[in-house]
């Protein structure tokens, strides 16, 4: 039953030390556009995906909540058909429950939020192996795929320039000639992974 699946997920998260960081029911949220896709607003991810969210939740507990205060997840797991309908990238971290999109619950401006999250990500994102991204407004993304960053600030430049530079200088898949942050923005336009 659905209740049994939710309890099993909750028990799994608790066993790995990440239970209660946010209410478990919030981790069942799918995509903001669920209703446009005829999909459920909540879905228990397949158990084989559960390990993928643990490191992202550790980072939220250890680094995000201390600088922003409480946060609320608004999108976590998306099954392949919902991910496609919602416009997510084909290999979106959400398809594998590696990502948590969230919003802060305390009043904060976008600039202050970006500044705080980028500073902590530049210092600790690499050690945690987490990605940090920004959508419009106060919605942001933490994933356990790899150390990376994406999204722009209100001035239209890369939100986390220092993390961007660190990620590209240490990424073996990055091109040999490192582009400047500004040229990377020009090349990528405003397209962001979802």
């Amino acid at each position: 039953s659905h209740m049994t699946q939710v309890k099993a997920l909750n028990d799994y998260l608790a066993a790995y030390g990440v239970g209660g960081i946010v209410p478990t029911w919030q981790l069942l949220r799918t995509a903001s556009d669920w209703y446009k896709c005829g999909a459920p607003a909540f879905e228990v991810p397949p158990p084989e995906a559960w390990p993928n969210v643990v490191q992202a939740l550790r980072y939220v507990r250890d680094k995000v909540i201390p600088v922003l205060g409480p946060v609320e997840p608004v999108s976590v797991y998306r099954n392949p058909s919902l991910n496609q309908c919602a416009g997510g990238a084909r290999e979106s971290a959400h398809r594998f429950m590696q990502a948590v999109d969230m919003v802060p619950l305390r009043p904060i401006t976008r600039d202050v939020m970006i500044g705080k999250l980028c500073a902590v990500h530049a210092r600790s994102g690499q050690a945690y192996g987490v990605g940090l991204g920004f959508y419009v407004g106060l919605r942001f993304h933490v994933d356990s795929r790899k150390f990376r960053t994406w999204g722009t600030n209100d001035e239209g430049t890369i939100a986390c320039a220092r993390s961007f530079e660190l990620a590209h200088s240490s990424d073996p898949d990055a091109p040999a000639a490192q582009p400047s942050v500004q040229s990377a923005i020009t090349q990528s336009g405003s397209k962001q992974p979802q």
Side-chain angles (χ1 to χ4, degrees):
S1 81
H2 184 73
M3 207 156 117
T4 305
Q5 292 175 317
V6 174
K7 181 175 178 351
L9 172 59
N10 191 66
D11 292 347
Y12 179 88
L13 296 172
Y16 283 89
V18 294
I21 294 169
V22 294
T24 301
W25 70 268
Q26 292 176 357
L27 296 174
L28 305 180
R29 287 179 166 158
T30 57
S32 300
D33 289 342
W34 60 270
Y35 57 94
K36 293 179 186 173
C37 299
F42 299 90
E43 182 175 353
V44 179
E48 60 271 16
W50 298 354
N52 299 336
V53 79
V54 171
Q55 188 65 4
L57 289 173
R58 285 179 183 139
Y59 186 79
V60 170
R61 176 194 63 209
D62 298 347
K63 303 299 177 180
V64 173
I65 292 172
V67 298
L68 288 188
V71 293
E72 182 171 337
V74 294
S75 178
V76 183
Y77 173 74
R78 295 185 208 141
N79 66 52
S81 59
L82 175 56
N83 185 64
Q84 182 177 8
C85 175
R90 207 183 74 208
E91 291 300 309
S92 169
H94 290 280
R95 282 194 47 211
F96 308 99
M97 199 183 179
Q98 294 171 312
V100 181
D101 290 351
M102 59 204 111
V103 295
L105 292 178
R106 290 190 184 145
I108 193 169
T109 66
R110 179 174 162 79
D111 274 349
V112 170
M113 179 189 77
I114 287 174
K116 289 181 175 200
L117 290 175
C118 289
V120 76
H121 189 252
R123 287 192 308 270
S124 59
Q126 211 161 8
Y128 278 76
V130 297
L132 173 66
F134 296 96
Y135 300 97
V136 296
L138 295 174
R139 184 172 174 154
F140 65 99
H141 165 113
V142 170
D143 71 63
S144 60
R145 181 164 284 170
K146 70 176 186 173
F147 177 62
R148 65 185 180 134
T149 187
W150 51 266
T152 57
N153 58 27
D154 292 340
E155 289 74 48
T157 59
I158 288 183
C160 296
R162 182 66 186 134
S163 289
F164 184 88
E165 290 164 3
L166 288 168
H168 287 77
S169 68
S170 65
D171 185 351
D173 299 329
Q178 299 300 327
S180 70
V181 170
Q182 190 57 48
S183 69
I185 294 168
T186 307
Q187 290 168 5
S188 66
S190 62
K191 197 167 187 162
Q192 302 170 353
Q194 304 264 318

